[in-house]
Amino acid sequence: MKKYFLPIFLICALLTPTQAKQNKMQSTVLNTLEQELKREFKQLKKAKPPVYFMSYQITELDNYYLDATLGTISYEKKINEAYLDIDVRVGSRELDNTHKIKLIDMDLLSNNSNKNPFVIKVPLTNQAALKNSIWLTTDLVAKAAQEQYLKVVNNNKTAATRNDNSADFSKAPKKPAQYIADMPEVEINIPELKKELESLSALMKGYDFIYASGIEFYAVKETNYFVNSEGTKIKEPRILIRLSYKINSRNKDGMQLSRTNSYDGVTMQDLPSEEQIKQDILKSIEELKQLQNAPSADTFHGPVILKNRAAGVFFHEILGHRVEGHRQKDDDFGQTFTQKVGEQIVSPIITVYDDPTMTHFKGVPLRGHYLYDDEGTPSQKAMMVENGILKGFLMGRSPIKNFPNSNGHGRKSYGRKVVSRMGVTVVEAQNQIPYDELVQKLKEEIKRQNKPYGLIIDDISGGFTNTDTYSPQSFKVQPLLVYKVFPDDRPNELIRGADIVGTPLTSFNKIIAAADDNALFNGTCGAESGWVPVSAIAPSLLISELEVEKVNKTYDNVPILPPPSAENKTKKEAK
Amino acid sequence: MKRFSIIICLFTATNVFAQTIKNDVVFNAMEQEMQRTMSLSKTAPKIHFAAFKVGDYSGVSVIAARGGIAQEQQKQWVNTDVNLRVGTQKEDSSFFEANTLTQSNLQDGALSPEGIRAGLWAAADKTYKQALDIYARKQGYKNKKAQEEVFDDFSAATPVQDVKTYEKTIFPMDKFKEIAQKTSAAGATNELEKFNTNIVASEEIVYYLSSEGAKYTKRDLLIQITFYAKGRTKTGFEFDDNKTLSYAALKDIPSVKKLENIARNFAKQTAAFTWAQKGTAFIGPVWLSGEASAKMFENTFIKNINNTRKTIFDMGNGNFKYSLGEFALKENLKVLPVNFDVVDNPLQDNFNGQKMIGAYNVDDEGIKAQALSLVKNGILKDLPKTRSLIKGQIKTNGHAITNWGESLYAKANVRNLFFFPHEITPIEEFKQKFMNYCKAEGLEYCYKISTRNIAGKGDILTTKINANTGEETPVYGLNTPVLNTRTLRDIKFAANDLTLYNTPAGISYVVPSVILSEVELTPSQASPATKMLVTRP
């Protein structure tokens, strides 16, 4: 889509100025936040009980959405807004109001929720109005924090002790972060973009097995303003552009079938050409047609290749979420890896780290990249697993035993409270081999295990993992394209309706080989601190044993009449 | 947010939101899909009626707080909906509720023949299967429960053809932003903690086609400006109030100056409660002025005159969504004082030069709208009716309203009501009349309520009026009981200040200020907030 860059008069600057200019440019919003924080903190630290830390964060969002279906624009929306999140900590770093209440009975007033009930929309164009909003909200947040602190103090006396008694908040950094950058410039030719989406969505017309389809464009310009009482002062802009399509069908047995694809960038030039997207759509249509006629999956356990992007999602879901720092501290989580630092938890050929400082992979921008996390800590590479051995956790400013400091992974979306999250998760493997050789190794493994077939998980939509103690410590990953691979020369066979299930400790140790085809999955991850953009990079992996179960399906029958756009085609076929 | 305004330049945005399509193109697509839909049923129960709707929607909104813009939004989309009945007119798949089965199957669409047909096709497929299911369940239910009275589910009617061409409205975002900024600044007094202005403008151009040949277009345009004020009394009791102005055309919106004055006056009235006294329990006459009177009529009369036909329901433990309106069984009974008439006239589109947003020409069953005398001398004489018959009914009176996207079948509704008292008191003399009546009841003071929040939903702001001196004192912390149809018969006096109110739900009503003979006000149980921890910036 490079042609959008043409500076003709119809082009509108969607997402503005360029080049980060650290510590040089002033920000009125940031200064207003800083002034009000200083004024409020001066008085609140004398309150009873006293406030010892405060931060103000404004998330300024400038969103644009454009959808097309069957050759016509079907939805368009633009919305500009800004949200204020306030963190007020009462007590001390050792014990403050954020300390999790240990539930003795079902105490509905314990306020352990990760939602911020006081998030509000604020006006940024008027300093007096902004200050007024900050003042009113600070009062609500501070009073709630004081109330919660009193509950925490009492709960600490009356409830049983927890395994990890680390402090609630890490020490102030020696040098608080100061960073101010302005929004880079991005230009989008909206009329051209509309033509493009209409043309691409028209490709999905005329197929009797496509029941719904569409192409979506989404651009967000997000500016994160952050100040705290330790002197941190940040204005970090972020741009995310995504173009995606979805093509849906349904089988006669009620199973929902779909093919989707998405492309990410921070400028329009990052998106692939129209021709490339066209080819991808046509390929997806063909895959969907094949899926309609594909046999339904049986339950299975045996050797599996997780293709690169699928492997990235697999590690994100199954390992990544389990090494988030806050889950090691809270006894309500399964703490699969808490006591295993220094032990082998994954096959020794695997190394995993999370590095949000990375900006690109093979020229493609990484959605999970950021410079400062939502606690104002600079992002940094965090080693999770080195040669199969657990080295550490993803940390925000909530310390855990032996890990007292943040490594810049405290993240959230507006209206939520920070927990540690992934950014750019990278899976590296030793002794990588060409993909074809990996497939040969799969065939050998099928024979060795005397299985009738193995599987290749080619594409994956997402997944989830249970991390609390109430549920089994299991995971489920939802593939979109799965092929049966036979030990002989028979061609691969597409199947539908398979979910990968398992438990992490067992599954990770069964990785036996990796291909040299590292690839990127850009996505959005939802957890208790909201939806955050993430990336995962991994090679294709051969796993000696994974379990597959049948998907849950509906009983919705296929439409009685063919889609209108395929009506003539159906009539011709009938003749 | 100046930078934000360039997300798409106005040039582009204007083009987008002005996108139009010729009526013929839309109706041709609808007709083609209608033919296919009617071919769906080859065996009984067959489709005996189908109606399609295509809605071309666009909307904008702006929120401003104390002079600064906090949010601005523009969007547009197309949706399609299908209303479909299987069986016969005598007995079909309508008016039977079973869990969520009767939810409408609204589908996304796009303004092209393919986009329209795809949306209608998907909606028709789901609605047809759903109608078959409802019909079968209804038959099954009737095998186990006897029906006392049975009326035809649908009746014959002359289909209307009323196709007009509408140009899409270009909403002036810059103007809306100016209004929001200036009015929210005008209302930002020192006494009030918050003063916001919220502007929401929406337009839906509707294309309707039925299997009987009804074919019409209509435009629903609504612009609402809401002021929200929040403060606290000197004793820490938090109070808030809002005021909504509704308009059916851009040209009806008053000048910025005038709106600033309205905002300022509203802020001043609300801020007056900063020095209010705490109210004590009271039983006696209450004066409902302005919007308080309108809200009383809405809660007591309008909500009870809708849904005149009984729906059979087999919901298990589910909630029954469409209960019968209380007035459905009160024809020829006294529902208002004898000096009141009530008329619903959807054809009258303005009152004293102001747009009535409830006006319509064709109802949602494709029937021409008509004026309806509901109450004469306090006696309920007629009810809003649809093509689904009720006792004594031969045909519809054009009052079928479908909340497209919610209910599968149209329900009887009123939209444009006029409450006419025969005996009226000039508004200038109304206060004296109220004081005299209060004294006659042996009371030192009585209460006047002017705000919308009178529905038993929490604390209201009232004014205490001394029966002897007429002195007015703001009072906080009183609750009204939930008002019911009995309240209507307690109307003692009405003023000559007939005023139009357009509600956010798209209903218009013209009402006078009234004095109710007896209302019970109870003190609030809420605790006041503690002082602000930090002084105001």
Side-chain angles (χ1 to χ4, degrees), chain B residues 356-392:
Chain B
M356 298 188 73
I357 61 174
Y360 61 89
N361 290 325
V362 185
D363 78 358
D364 287 335
E365 287 178 334
I367 304 302
K368 195 165 167 37
Q370 52 189 279
L372 178 63
S373 174
L374 292 164
V375 175
K376 193 81 186 161
N377 298 326
I379 307 294
L380 183 66
K381 287 293 184 188
D382 208 344
L383 294 167
K385 286 162 189 164
T386 70
R387 293 177 65 179
S388 298
L389 303 183
I390 60 173
K391 192 172 186 177

Side-chain angles (χ1 to χ4, degrees), chain A residues 398-464:
Chain A
S398 177
I400 58 174
K401 202 183 280 179
N402 302 323
F403 294 89
N405 297 314
S406 170
N407 52 27
H409 283 80
R411 300 186 74 193
K412 68 177 191 65
S413 53
Y414 69 82
R416 296 285 179 145
K417 296 174 188 170
V418 165
V419 298
S420 48
R421 301 286 293 272
M422 284 165 274
V424 178
T425 308
V426 181
V427 180
E428 289 179 350
Q430 293 171 18
N431 309 322
Q432 288 175 276
I433 54 176
Y435 179 73
D436 290 347
E437 285 182 31
L438 196 73
V439 175
Q440 277 311 311
K441 274 189 178 284
L442 169 67
K443 292 194 174 200
E444 288 161 19
E445 190 62 22
I446 296 167
K447 285 176 195 162
R448 194 186 66 76
Q449 293 184 28
N450 202 22
K451 297 282 182 187
Y453 59 87
L455 297 176
I456 293 177
I457 312 293
D458 194 285
D459 193 11
I460 213 162
S461 66
F464 60 88

Side-chain angles (χ1 to χ4, degrees), chain B residues 280-492:
Chain B
T280 51
F282 173 82
I283 301 172
V286 165
W287 171 7
L288 297 181
S289 167
E291 290 202 60
S293 175
K295 199 70 188 169
M296 183 275 293
F297 279 109
E298 183 181 328
N299 288 339
T300 54
F301 189 93
I302 295 169
K303 284 186 178 164
N304 286 303
I305 194 116
N306 292 335
N307 294 342
T308 51
R309 183 182 156 111
K310 186 181 171 186
T311 300
I312 307 168
F313 67 99
D314 188 11
M315 302 288 282
N317 293 324
N319 293 319
F320 181 46
K321 197 172 169 187
Y322 303 107
S323 43
L324 196 63
E326 207 178 309
F327 287 164
L329 305 172
K330 289 186 178 171
E331 251 185 300
N332 296 316
L333 295 179
K334 185 184 167 200
V335 295
L336 271 161
V338 289
N339 59 353
F340 260 90
D341 291 348
V342 183
V343 172
D344 184 58
N345 185 5
L347 296 166
Q348 183 169 336
D349 65 1
N350 77 77
F351 179 79
N352 287 347
Q354 264 191 290
K355 282 273 180 193
M356 298 188 73
I357 61 174
Y360 61 89
N361 290 325
V362 185
D363 78 358
D364 287 335
E365 287 178 334
I367 304 302
K368 195 165 167 37
Q370 52 189 279
L372 178 63
S373 174
L374 292 164
V375 175
K376 193 81 186 161
N377 298 326
I379 307 294
L380 183 66
K381 287 293 184 188
D382 208 344
L383 294 167
K385 286 162 189 164
T386 70
R387 293 177 65 179
S388 298
L389 303 183
I390 60 173
K391 192 172 186 177
Q393 182 190 345
I394 302 163
K395 59 178 188 175
T396 175
N397 55 25
H399 281 78
I401 304 291
T402 308
N403 292 321
W404 293 91
E406 291 177 16
S407 160
L408 197 54
Y409 302 102
K411 304 276 193 264
N413 274 276
V414 289
R415 276 289 184 272
N416 238 25
L417 282 156
F418 298 82
F419 291 84
F420 293 128
H422 300 171
E423 295 165 24
I424 49 172
T425 306
I427 191 68
E428 303 78 30
E429 299 165 21
F430 210 55
K431 183 175 174 183
Q432 192 57 53
K433 192 152 200 166
F434 181 54
M435 289 160 60
N436 294 343
Y437 184 54
C438 185
K439 258 192 287 189
E441 291 289 308
L443 295 164
E444 279 181 35
Y445 59 84
C446 290
Y447 283 96
K448 175 184 172 184
I449 306 174
S450 308
T451 65
R452 296 173 60 83
N453 303 328
I454 60 157
K457 287 178 183 169
D459 304 331
I460 52 164
L461 302 177
T462 57
T463 306
K464 191 155 105 175
I465 296 183
N466 188 302
N468 296 306
T469 64
E471 186 192 0
E472 298 190 10
T473 312
V475 168
Y476 70 86
L478 287 176
N479 296 164
T480 54
V482 176
L483 303 177
N484 55 34
T485 52
R486 177 71 187 85
T487 309
L488 290 167
R489 301 200 294 283
D490 289 338
I491 296 173
K492 195 73 184 171

